[in-house]
Amino acid sequence: MQNPDHLDVLTIAERWRNEGRNLALATVVKTWGSAPRPVGAHLVIDSDGNFEGSVSGGCVEGAVISDAIDVIEDGKPRTLSFGVADETAWEVGLSCGGEIAVYVERVS
């Protein structure tokens, strides 16, 4: 059975792409410990910073959106990691004790 949130984000990505928007898709690819969203959760971002879906919440998504705009511009996918052992994670608010890895790729 498919996760309805997962399907909705991909449907939105398809619609935005058909509208001619430049997009990136962020996907949770790894979690450890207490993570706010499961593996496979998506966030779609356009080049203006509009987004739908969720990969974590709070400031983590702000960081993902910022990197996604870079991915849209340079076309180079990247994997972003956030966790309590990483000082950056505290800066972006992942204080739940978990770790996540998010793969960000341009949709073409």
Side-chain angles (χ1 to χ4, degrees):
M1 182 172 168
Q2 291 184 320
N3 178 336
D5 290 338
H6 175 84
L7 181 61
D8 287 344
V9 171
L10 297 180
T11 300
I12 291 166
E14 180 180 25
R15 187 179 75 234
W16 285 5
R17 187 69 188 134
N18 289 337
E19 292 172 355
R21 296 186 194 191
N22 295 315
L23 307 177
L25 184 67
T27 305
V28 176
V29 293
K30 182 179 178 184
T31 65
W32 180 88
S34 176
R37 299 287 291 156
V39 169
H42 291 291
L43 180 70
V44 60
I45 306 98
D46 75 7
S47 57
D48 292 330
N50 298 302
F51 64 95
E52 290 285 345
S54 177
V55 292
S56 177
C59 296
V60 167
E61 286 185 349
V64 172
I65 290 166
S66 178
D67 274 273
I69 291 171
D70 292 340
V71 168
I72 291 168
E73 291 175 3
D74 67 24
K76 297 177 183 173
R78 56 201 73 167
T79 301
L80 311 173
S81 297
F82 303 93
V84 295
D86 180 353
E87 290 181 18
T88 303
W90 286 106
E91 291 174 12
V92 297
L94 189 63
S95 59
C96 58
E99 296 178 10
I100 63 170
V102 179
Y103 182 73
V104 183
E105 60 189 321
R106 183 166 63 187
V107 176
S108 52

XYZ file of all heavy atoms in Angstrom:
801
model
N 0.842 -1.183 0.000
C 0.000 0.000 0.000
C 0.887 1.246 0.000
O 1.844 1.338 0.741
C -0.903 -0.025 1.226
C -1.854 1.127 1.285
S -3.024 0.861 2.652
C -3.744 2.441 2.714
N 0.567 2.211 -0.853
C 1.357 3.425 -0.940
C 0.954 4.415 0.143
O -0.209 4.497 0.527
C 1.180 4.082 -2.298
C 1.788 3.290 -3.417
C 1.649 4.045 -4.717
O 0.632 4.650 -4.969
N 2.696 3.997 -5.510
N 1.941 5.153 0.594
C 1.706 6.216 1.551
C 1.023 7.372 0.811
O 1.565 7.896 -0.148
C 3.046 6.657 2.141
C 2.907 7.791 3.114
O 1.951 8.559 3.072
N 3.887 7.900 3.984
N -0.176 7.798 1.238
C -0.874 8.863 0.527
C -0.092 10.172 0.476
O -0.173 10.893 -0.506
C -2.178 9.037 1.299
C -2.197 8.025 2.368
C -0.918 7.267 2.341
N 0.659 10.485 1.534
C 1.470 11.713 1.507
C 2.493 11.637 0.388
O 2.735 12.587 -0.322
C 2.196 11.921 2.833
C 1.246 12.286 3.961
O 0.144 12.774 3.663
O 1.619 12.069 5.119
N 3.108 10.448 0.253
C 4.120 10.221 -0.776
C 3.515 10.452 -2.149
O 4.067 11.163 -2.974
C 4.643 8.789 -0.605
C 5.597 8.339 -1.634
N 6.929 8.630 -1.558
C 5.411 7.617 -2.752
C 7.530 8.093 -2.605
N 6.634 7.476 -3.336
N 2.350 9.884 -2.389
C 1.697 10.010 -3.684
C 1.309 11.454 -3.953
O 1.498 11.963 -5.042
C 0.465 9.106 -3.735
C -0.306 9.113 -5.047
C 0.578 8.646 -6.185
C -1.519 8.219 -4.933
N 0.788 12.157 -2.974
C 0.382 13.549 -3.177
C 1.554 14.424 -3.596
O 1.412 15.258 -4.482
C -0.247 14.110 -1.914
C -1.632 13.557 -1.663
O -2.220 12.996 -2.589
O -2.098 13.694 -0.529
N 2.696 14.266 -2.962
C 3.849 15.099 -3.283
C 4.312 14.822 -4.712
O 4.624 15.752 -5.463
C 4.993 14.879 -2.267
C 6.270 15.570 -2.729
C 4.576 15.379 -0.896
N 4.326 13.578 -5.105
C 4.740 13.256 -6.470
C 3.730 13.775 -7.485
O 4.110 14.219 -8.577
C 4.955 11.750 -6.610
C 6.077 11.175 -5.746
C 6.195 9.678 -5.960
C 7.404 11.875 -6.001
N 2.462 13.742 -7.139
C 1.434 14.297 -8.024
C 1.610 15.804 -8.160
O 1.505 16.362 -9.261
C 0.033 13.957 -7.480
O -0.107 12.541 -7.422
C -1.061 14.530 -8.364
N 1.897 16.456 -7.062
C 2.153 17.901 -7.091
C 3.387 18.196 -7.934
O 3.387 19.122 -8.752
C 2.312 18.455 -5.654
C 0.962 18.401 -4.935
C 2.864 19.875 -5.672
C 1.049 18.594 -3.439
N 4.441 17.389 -7.771
C 5.660 17.586 -8.568
C 5.355 17.452 -10.059
O 5.834 18.258 -10.869
C 6.725 16.575 -8.146
N 4.567 16.479 -10.416
C 4.203 16.296 -11.826
C 3.423 17.511 -12.348
O 3.689 18.011 -13.439
C 3.379 15.023 -11.995
C 2.958 14.769 -13.429
C 2.137 13.508 -13.565
O 1.504 13.077 -12.592
O 2.133 12.952 -14.668
N 2.476 17.978 -11.537
C 1.682 19.138 -11.956
C 2.570 20.375 -12.111
O 2.487 21.092 -13.118
C 0.563 19.408 -10.944
C -0.403 20.512 -11.423
C -1.536 20.785 -10.449
N -1.041 21.533 -9.306
C -1.183 21.179 -8.031
N -1.826 20.088 -7.710
N -0.699 21.903 -7.057
N 3.443 20.614 -11.139
C 4.335 21.778 -11.214
C 5.263 21.673 -12.421
O 5.526 22.661 -13.085
C 5.158 21.900 -9.938
C 4.407 22.410 -8.748
C 3.058 22.675 -8.659
C 4.956 22.718 -7.469
N 2.755 23.120 -7.399
C 3.885 23.161 -6.647
C 6.228 22.644 -6.929
C 4.088 23.542 -5.317
C 6.428 23.028 -5.617
C 5.365 23.480 -4.817
N 5.763 20.476 -12.690
C 6.659 20.290 -13.844
C 5.908 20.579 -15.141
O 6.432 21.222 -16.041
C 7.217 18.867 -13.838
C 8.255 18.645 -14.869
C 9.533 19.424 -14.514
N 10.448 19.322 -15.638
C 11.107 20.350 -16.135
N 11.004 21.528 -15.589
N 11.903 20.199 -17.146
N 4.660 20.118 -15.219
C 3.845 20.388 -16.407
C 3.534 21.875 -16.563
O 3.241 22.332 -17.667
C 2.544 19.579 -16.366
C 2.792 18.101 -16.584
O 3.804 17.702 -17.171
N 1.876 17.281 -16.098
N 3.582 22.612 -15.458
C 3.389 24.062 -15.509
C 4.668 24.786 -15.918
O 4.682 26.008 -16.032
C 2.938 24.580 -14.133
C 1.541 24.128 -13.735
C 1.191 24.497 -12.295
O 2.056 25.018 -11.549
O 0.040 24.237 -11.901
N 5.760 24.055 -16.097
C 7.022 24.643 -16.533
C 7.929 25.098 -15.411
O 8.928 25.776 -15.655
N 7.598 24.726 -14.182
C 8.454 25.128 -13.057
C 9.716 24.277 -13.029
O 9.692 23.102 -13.397
C 7.725 24.948 -11.726
C 6.513 25.809 -11.556
C 5.991 25.646 -10.148
N 4.657 26.173 -9.962
C 4.096 26.320 -8.778
N 4.735 25.958 -7.679
N 2.879 26.798 -8.670
N 10.812 24.854 -12.558
C 12.035 24.106 -12.296
C 11.956 23.579 -10.870
O 11.665 24.336 -9.940
C 13.263 25.001 -12.477
C 13.402 25.444 -13.904
O 13.261 24.643 -14.824
N 13.657 26.724 -14.104
N 12.225 22.265 -10.713
C 11.975 21.607 -9.433
C 13.146 20.798 -8.923
O 13.984 20.331 -9.697
C 10.818 20.611 -9.582
C 9.510 21.058 -10.168
C 8.579 19.866 -10.280
C 8.910 22.131 -9.299
N 13.094 20.565 -7.607
C 13.944 19.557 -6.972
C 13.046 18.708 -6.078
O 12.026 19.189 -5.569
C 15.043 20.205 -6.140
N 13.440 17.457 -5.946
C 12.724 16.540 -5.070
C 13.680 16.106 -3.973
O 14.789 15.635 -4.257
C 12.229 15.327 -5.859
C 11.382 14.325 -5.070
C 10.050 14.953 -4.660
C 11.135 13.072 -5.896
N 13.266 16.276 -2.722
C 14.047 15.835 -1.568
C 13.371 14.600 -0.984
O 12.152 14.588 -0.801
C 14.121 16.947 -0.528
N 14.167 13.571 -0.712
C 13.633 12.310 -0.211
C 14.424 11.868 1.016
O 15.660 11.836 0.981
C 13.744 11.207 -1.293
O 13.094 11.660 -2.480
C 13.113 9.918 -0.827
N 13.728 11.515 2.084
C 14.411 10.938 3.252
C 14.893 9.552 2.852
O 14.101 8.697 2.448
C 13.467 10.847 4.472
C 14.169 10.151 5.641
C 12.984 12.231 4.882
N 16.210 9.324 2.908
C 16.778 8.041 2.487
C 17.321 7.224 3.648
O 17.618 6.041 3.490
C 17.884 8.242 1.415
C 17.286 8.771 0.124
C 19.006 9.128 1.913
N 17.468 7.856 4.825
C 17.978 7.108 5.973
C 17.528 7.816 7.249
O 17.531 9.043 7.316
C 19.503 7.053 5.921
C 20.135 6.261 7.040
C 21.646 6.235 6.896
C 22.286 5.492 8.050
N 23.755 5.548 7.968
N 17.135 7.034 8.225
C 16.821 7.591 9.541
C 17.507 6.737 10.599
O 17.802 5.558 10.384
C 15.300 7.604 9.831
O 14.825 6.271 9.906
C 14.541 8.385 8.779
N 17.742 7.332 11.714
C 18.268 6.621 12.874
C 17.665 7.261 14.116
O 17.606 8.476 14.217
C 19.792 6.717 12.922
C 20.373 5.998 14.106
C 20.732 4.692 14.182
C 20.630 6.556 15.391
N 21.200 4.398 15.432
C 21.144 5.524 16.205
C 20.465 7.820 15.942
C 21.510 5.734 17.523
C 20.820 8.019 17.267
C 21.347 6.978 18.036
N 17.207 6.433 15.029
C 16.624 6.944 16.262
C 15.296 7.625 16.012
O 14.536 7.252 15.112
N 15.017 8.636 16.784
C 13.752 9.357 16.679
C 13.817 10.344 15.525
O 14.482 11.366 15.604
C 13.484 10.109 17.992
O 12.321 10.873 17.873
N 13.134 10.010 14.441
C 13.120 10.890 13.270
C 11.677 11.305 13.000
O 10.762 10.488 13.086
C 13.693 10.170 12.059
N 11.465 12.569 12.666
C 10.087 13.059 12.492
C 9.375 12.511 11.268
O 8.150 12.465 11.247
C 10.258 14.578 12.391
C 11.689 14.811 12.119
C 12.450 13.622 12.590
N 10.085 12.100 10.223
C 9.462 11.577 9.002
C 10.183 10.295 8.605
O 11.393 10.168 8.773
C 9.541 12.597 7.867
C 8.818 13.903 8.160
C 7.317 13.778 8.122
N 6.935 13.550 6.744
C 5.813 12.952 6.369
N 4.950 12.556 7.256
N 5.546 12.778 5.108
N 9.464 9.321 8.038
C 10.081 8.037 7.688
C 10.867 8.092 6.374
O 10.715 9.031 5.585
C 8.853 7.127 7.535
C 7.768 8.039 7.058
C 8.018 9.344 7.767
N 11.657 7.054 6.155
C 12.329 6.886 4.863
C 11.262 6.897 3.775
O 10.208 6.273 3.918
C 13.129 5.565 4.840
C 13.605 5.237 3.429
C 14.303 5.644 5.808
N 11.532 7.623 2.705
C 10.601 7.722 1.590
C 9.753 8.983 1.623
O 9.080 9.290 0.643
N 9.774 9.724 2.745
C 9.021 10.979 2.800
C 9.637 11.970 1.812
O 10.860 12.004 1.628
C 9.036 11.552 4.209
N 8.781 12.759 1.160
C 9.242 13.675 0.114
C 8.894 15.127 0.420
O 7.896 15.421 1.083
C 8.574 13.354 -1.222
C 8.988 12.070 -1.833
N 10.234 11.846 -2.334
C 8.302 10.938 -2.038
C 10.299 10.626 -2.818
N 9.129 10.040 -2.639
N 9.706 15.989 -0.179
C 9.457 17.423 -0.210
C 9.781 17.864 -1.627
O 10.863 17.551 -2.137
C 10.372 18.129 0.800
C 10.277 19.644 0.929
C 8.955 20.051 1.583
C 11.432 20.159 1.794
N 8.854 18.532 -2.292
C 9.122 19.067 -3.623
C 9.287 20.575 -3.481
O 8.549 21.220 -2.724
C 8.016 18.692 -4.643
C 6.661 19.221 -4.242
C 8.395 19.167 -6.046
N 10.296 21.116 -4.178
C 10.648 22.533 -4.060
C 10.780 23.103 -5.465
O 11.379 22.464 -6.344
C 12.014 22.703 -3.334
C 12.003 21.976 -1.997
C 12.351 24.171 -3.168
C 12.638 20.613 -2.019
N 10.246 24.316 -5.684
C 10.485 24.954 -6.978
C 11.571 26.014 -6.834
O 12.038 26.298 -5.721
C 9.189 25.482 -7.614
C 8.648 26.753 -6.976
O 9.318 27.349 -6.100
O 7.542 27.155 -7.355
N 11.985 26.586 -7.952
C 13.113 27.525 -7.947
C 12.808 28.830 -7.217
O 13.728 29.583 -6.893
C 13.564 27.809 -9.381
O 12.481 28.315 -10.147
N 11.525 29.099 -6.939
C 11.162 30.289 -6.164
C 11.081 30.001 -4.667
O 10.745 30.890 -3.884
C 9.803 30.823 -6.633
C 9.862 31.392 -8.043
O 10.935 31.902 -8.437
O 8.844 31.321 -8.750
N 11.350 28.749 -4.275
C 11.303 28.383 -2.864
C 9.945 27.903 -2.384
O 9.773 27.637 -1.197
N 8.971 27.791 -3.292
C 7.687 27.193 -2.909
C 7.905 25.714 -2.661
O 8.718 25.080 -3.354
C 6.654 27.398 -4.021
C 6.379 28.855 -4.283
O 5.982 29.592 -3.388
N 6.629 29.299 -5.510
N 7.190 25.143 -1.722
C 7.386 23.734 -1.422
C 6.095 23.096 -0.948
O 5.196 23.769 -0.456
C 8.489 23.535 -0.378
C 8.175 24.126 0.962
C 7.624 23.341 1.970
C 8.422 25.456 1.228
C 7.323 23.880 3.210
C 8.120 26.013 2.467
C 7.574 25.215 3.455
N 6.063 21.761 -1.105
C 4.953 20.935 -0.597
C 5.557 19.645 -0.067
O 6.541 19.144 -0.593
C 3.948 20.594 -1.706
C 3.138 21.763 -2.192
C 2.038 22.209 -1.226
O 1.698 21.448 -0.299
O 1.539 23.322 -1.415
N 4.944 19.086 0.963
C 5.423 17.852 1.561
C 6.245 18.135 2.795
O 6.247 19.264 3.319
N 6.955 17.110 3.261
C 7.743 17.277 4.475
C 8.809 16.186 4.564
O 8.537 15.020 4.286
C 6.840 17.192 5.706
O 7.589 17.289 6.883
N 10.020 16.584 4.934
C 11.070 15.608 5.213
C 11.489 15.637 6.673
O 12.207 14.766 7.126
C 12.305 15.807 4.311
C 11.986 15.465 2.870
C 12.864 17.208 4.432
N 11.056 16.639 7.409
C 11.411 16.716 8.818
C 10.553 17.733 9.555
O 9.907 17.417 10.516
C 12.882 17.091 8.976
O 13.182 17.227 10.342
N 10.556 18.920 9.099
C 9.860 19.997 9.784
C 10.847 21.022 10.296
O 12.062 20.797 10.322
N 10.330 22.151 10.669
C 11.144 23.214 11.258
C 12.293 23.667 10.385
O 12.205 23.705 9.167
N 13.372 23.983 11.039
C 14.515 24.568 10.351
C 15.246 23.585 9.444
O 15.958 23.992 8.543
C 15.480 25.152 11.372
S 14.769 26.513 12.303
N 15.092 22.269 9.691
C 15.715 21.286 8.791
C 15.173 21.494 7.384
O 15.929 21.512 6.413
C 15.469 19.840 9.273
C 15.834 18.832 8.198
C 16.245 19.573 10.551
N 13.877 21.682 7.270
C 13.308 21.887 5.940
C 13.799 23.186 5.332
O 14.002 23.260 4.128
C 11.778 21.810 5.984
C 11.344 20.369 6.151
C 9.867 20.140 6.099
O 9.083 21.110 6.127
O 9.493 18.964 6.070
N 14.021 24.194 6.130
C 14.586 25.440 5.613
C 15.946 25.201 4.984
O 16.245 25.719 3.899
N 16.771 24.385 5.633
C 18.092 24.058 5.088
C 17.959 23.226 3.819
O 18.697 23.438 2.846
C 18.913 23.312 6.140
N 17.020 22.278 3.808
C 16.812 21.433 2.624
C 16.331 22.290 1.455
O 16.813 22.134 0.325
C 15.809 20.297 2.932
C 15.430 19.544 1.660
C 16.394 19.338 3.970
N 15.418 23.202 1.706
C 14.905 24.074 0.643
C 16.035 24.928 0.070
O 16.166 25.071 -1.149
C 13.749 24.947 1.178
C 12.533 24.059 1.450
C 13.412 26.072 0.208
C 11.456 24.716 2.291
N 16.882 25.460 0.921
C 18.004 26.271 0.461
C 18.938 25.456 -0.439
O 19.325 25.916 -1.518
C 18.771 26.815 1.673
O 19.877 27.562 1.258
N 19.268 24.245 -0.017
C 20.128 23.380 -0.840
C 19.409 22.948 -2.114
O 20.036 22.798 -3.170
C 20.584 22.152 -0.053
C 21.837 22.450 0.753
O 22.937 22.305 0.196
O 21.697 22.861 1.920
N 18.099 22.726 -2.040
C 17.342 22.308 -3.226
C 17.394 23.378 -4.309
O 17.497 23.061 -5.501
C 15.898 22.002 -2.845
N 17.341 24.626 -3.928
C 17.432 25.716 -4.912
C 18.802 25.678 -5.590
O 18.912 25.859 -6.808
C 17.127 27.070 -4.247
C 15.638 27.103 -3.865
C 17.487 28.227 -5.170
C 15.224 28.283 -3.012
N 19.860 25.363 -4.822
C 21.195 25.201 -5.419
C 21.213 24.014 -6.385
O 21.828 24.089 -7.453
C 22.250 24.993 -4.330
C 22.453 26.242 -3.475
O 22.083 27.348 -3.920
O 22.973 26.090 -2.350
N 20.564 22.921 -6.013
C 20.502 21.734 -6.877
C 19.761 22.062 -8.172
O 20.189 21.636 -9.256
C 19.833 20.553 -6.135
C 19.487 19.417 -7.097
C 20.729 20.063 -5.007
N 18.688 22.823 -8.086
C 17.947 23.218 -9.294
C 18.880 24.008 -10.217
O 18.898 23.796 -11.426
C 16.700 24.054 -8.922
C 15.672 23.166 -8.211
C 16.085 24.693 -10.175
C 14.531 23.948 -7.557
N 19.689 24.885 -9.633
C 20.564 25.740 -10.434
C 21.739 24.990 -11.041
O 22.048 25.155 -12.210
C 21.075 26.910 -9.592
C 19.976 27.895 -9.248
C 20.447 29.004 -8.322
O 21.643 29.054 -7.982
O 19.599 29.821 -7.931
N 22.409 24.133 -10.233
C 23.627 23.485 -10.757
C 23.391 22.051 -11.244
O 24.276 21.461 -11.874
C 24.766 23.545 -9.742
C 24.534 22.730 -8.481
O 23.745 21.764 -8.498
O 25.168 23.056 -7.460
N 22.230 21.474 -10.948
C 21.908 20.132 -11.427
C 22.650 19.005 -10.726
O 22.521 17.851 -11.112
N 23.414 19.333 -9.691
C 24.202 18.316 -8.989
C 23.451 17.820 -7.761
O 23.274 18.578 -6.792
C 25.552 18.889 -8.571
C 26.403 19.308 -9.749
C 27.698 19.924 -9.285
C 28.498 20.389 -10.484
N 29.695 21.145 -10.091
N 23.008 16.546 -7.777
C 22.306 16.015 -6.609
C 23.242 15.920 -5.409
O 24.467 15.832 -5.566
C 21.854 14.619 -7.060
C 22.765 14.264 -8.169
C 23.209 15.544 -8.808
N 22.670 15.937 -4.241
C 23.496 15.806 -3.031
C 22.681 15.165 -1.913
O 21.448 15.203 -1.935
C 24.049 17.154 -2.599
C 22.996 18.211 -2.367
C 23.597 19.598 -2.440
N 23.887 19.881 -3.840
C 24.183 21.060 -4.354
N 24.259 22.102 -3.597
N 24.428 21.229 -5.619
N 23.413 14.569 -0.994
C 22.795 13.985 0.192
C 23.136 14.857 1.391
O 24.313 15.140 1.642
C 23.291 12.541 0.418
O 22.976 11.759 -0.733
C 22.633 11.932 1.638
N 22.115 15.279 2.100
C 22.277 16.138 3.273
C 22.042 15.298 4.524
O 21.136 14.470 4.539
C 21.258 17.276 3.235
C 21.159 18.064 1.921
C 19.989 19.045 1.987
C 22.464 18.784 1.646
N 22.843 15.512 5.540
C 22.699 14.761 6.784
C 22.476 15.714 7.947
O 23.127 16.758 8.037
C 23.956 13.922 7.054
O 24.132 12.973 6.037
N 21.566 15.324 8.819
C 21.273 16.111 10.011
C 21.195 15.159 11.195
O 20.579 14.108 11.108
C 19.925 16.838 9.878
C 19.846 17.731 8.681
C 19.322 17.250 7.490
C 20.312 19.029 8.733
C 19.242 18.066 6.378
C 20.241 19.855 7.621
C 19.701 19.366 6.439
N 21.824 15.539 12.298
C 21.780 14.685 13.473
C 22.272 15.399 14.700
O 22.863 16.473 14.618
N 22.060 14.783 15.835
C 22.426 15.437 17.086
C 23.925 15.530 17.278
O 24.394 16.364 18.038
C 21.797 14.734 18.304
C 20.290 14.852 18.264
C 22.235 13.300 18.403
N 24.702 14.669 16.601
C 26.145 14.724 16.747
C 26.746 15.837 15.892
O 27.911 16.162 16.019
C 26.771 13.390 16.354
N 25.925 16.400 15.035
C 26.386 17.435 14.120
C 25.968 18.795 14.678
O 24.796 19.042 14.923
C 25.732 17.180 12.763
C 26.117 18.183 11.703
O 26.794 19.169 12.016
O 25.707 17.957 10.564
N 26.925 19.684 14.862
C 26.592 21.005 15.410
C 25.557 21.702 14.545
O 24.695 22.424 15.038
C 27.850 21.859 15.517
C 28.790 21.391 16.594
C 30.017 22.272 16.689
O 29.982 23.403 16.183
O 31.002 21.816 17.278
N 25.607 21.467 13.234
C 24.638 22.087 12.339
C 23.231 21.633 12.668
O 22.278 22.403 12.569
C 24.967 21.747 10.879
O 26.293 22.180 10.607
C 24.010 22.430 9.922
N 23.092 20.377 13.073
C 21.763 19.864 13.389
C 21.114 20.677 14.497
O 19.932 20.972 14.458
C 21.836 18.400 13.784
N 21.895 21.008 15.513
C 21.331 21.827 16.587
C 20.942 23.196 16.070
O 19.929 23.752 16.461
C 22.332 21.948 17.741
C 22.413 20.677 18.500
C 23.423 19.778 18.470
C 21.421 20.126 19.379
N 23.132 18.706 19.267
C 21.902 18.902 19.856
C 20.174 20.562 19.813
C 21.187 18.109 20.727
C 19.456 19.769 20.697
C 19.971 18.565 21.136
N 21.744 23.713 15.150
C 21.431 25.024 14.597
C 20.116 24.992 13.839
O 19.391 25.964 13.797
C 22.556 25.492 13.661
C 23.834 25.803 14.399
C 24.971 26.114 13.456
O 24.729 26.306 12.248
O 26.109 26.163 13.940
N 19.815 23.836 13.175
C 18.590 23.756 12.392
C 17.470 23.065 13.148
O 16.412 22.829 12.603
C 18.810 23.077 11.020
C 19.776 23.894 10.188
C 19.261 21.654 11.173
N 17.678 22.723 14.416
C 16.574 22.317 15.254
C 16.235 20.849 15.314
O 15.156 20.499 15.745
N 17.134 19.947 14.878
C 16.847 18.521 14.967
C 17.312 18.029 16.331
O 18.306 17.352 16.472
C 17.541 17.754 13.842
C 17.144 16.284 13.693
C 15.673 16.164 13.342
C 17.983 15.623 12.624
N 16.573 18.384 17.341
C 16.969 18.065 18.715
C 16.199 16.875 19.271
O 16.242 16.601 20.453
C 16.736 19.287 19.602
O 15.377 19.656 19.546
N 15.522 16.102 18.398
C 14.706 14.978 18.856
C 15.553 13.746 19.161
O 15.014 12.745 19.621
C 13.650 14.639 17.810
S 14.338 14.225 16.193
N 16.829 13.801 18.903
C 17.697 12.672 19.213
C 17.953 11.757 18.040
O 18.666 10.779 18.172
N 17.412 12.044 16.902
C 17.593 11.194 15.740
C 18.546 11.770 14.717
O 19.129 12.833 14.925
N 18.707 11.024 13.658
C 19.509 11.464 12.525
C 18.734 11.152 11.257
O 18.020 10.149 11.194
C 20.853 10.729 12.483
C 21.732 11.011 13.659
C 23.044 10.228 13.611
O 23.344 9.622 12.568
O 23.741 10.232 14.622
N 18.884 12.002 10.262
C 18.263 11.733 8.970
C 19.239 12.078 7.861
O 20.112 12.929 8.024
C 16.945 12.515 8.758
C 17.170 14.021 8.759
C 15.910 12.125 9.801
C 15.951 14.831 8.317
N 19.085 11.381 6.742
C 19.796 11.722 5.515
C 18.734 11.988 4.452
O 17.762 11.241 4.332
C 20.717 10.587 5.081
N 18.923 13.070 3.721
C 17.960 13.503 2.707
C 18.680 13.652 1.373
O 19.663 14.393 1.281
C 17.302 14.845 3.109
C 16.313 15.310 2.049
C 16.627 14.733 4.472
N 18.204 12.928 0.364
C 18.765 13.017 -0.984
C 17.968 14.055 -1.765
O 16.733 13.986 -1.814
C 18.685 11.652 -1.673
C 19.289 11.622 -3.043
C 20.663 11.652 -3.215
C 18.484 11.549 -4.175
C 21.229 11.618 -4.482
C 19.044 11.509 -5.445
C 20.416 11.541 -5.588
O 20.973 11.504 -6.835
N 18.683 15.002 -2.362
C 18.034 16.082 -3.110
C 18.480 16.009 -4.562
O 19.689 16.001 -4.841
C 18.384 17.463 -2.516
C 17.633 18.571 -3.253
C 18.082 17.512 -1.021
N 17.505 15.934 -5.479
C 17.822 15.830 -6.908
C 16.917 16.749 -7.720
O 15.786 17.019 -7.335
C 17.630 14.387 -7.383
C 16.213 13.888 -7.195
C 16.056 12.404 -7.457
O 16.682 11.894 -8.387
O 15.273 11.773 -6.721
N 17.468 17.219 -8.844
C 16.661 18.055 -9.744
C 15.706 17.161 -10.517
O 16.056 16.052 -10.923
C 17.572 18.818 -10.709
C 16.779 19.753 -11.616
C 17.624 20.750 -12.342
N 18.560 20.111 -13.256
C 19.507 20.752 -13.929
N 19.655 22.064 -13.779
N 20.308 20.110 -14.730
N 14.495 17.639 -10.720
C 13.494 16.922 -11.510
C 13.527 17.509 -12.908
O 13.362 18.715 -13.082
C 12.084 17.074 -10.900
C 11.042 16.402 -11.778
C 12.055 16.525 -9.485
N 13.764 16.649 -13.888
C 13.801 17.155 -15.262
C 12.907 16.330 -16.153
O 12.300 15.386 -15.758
C 15.226 17.152 -15.803
O 15.821 15.895 -15.648
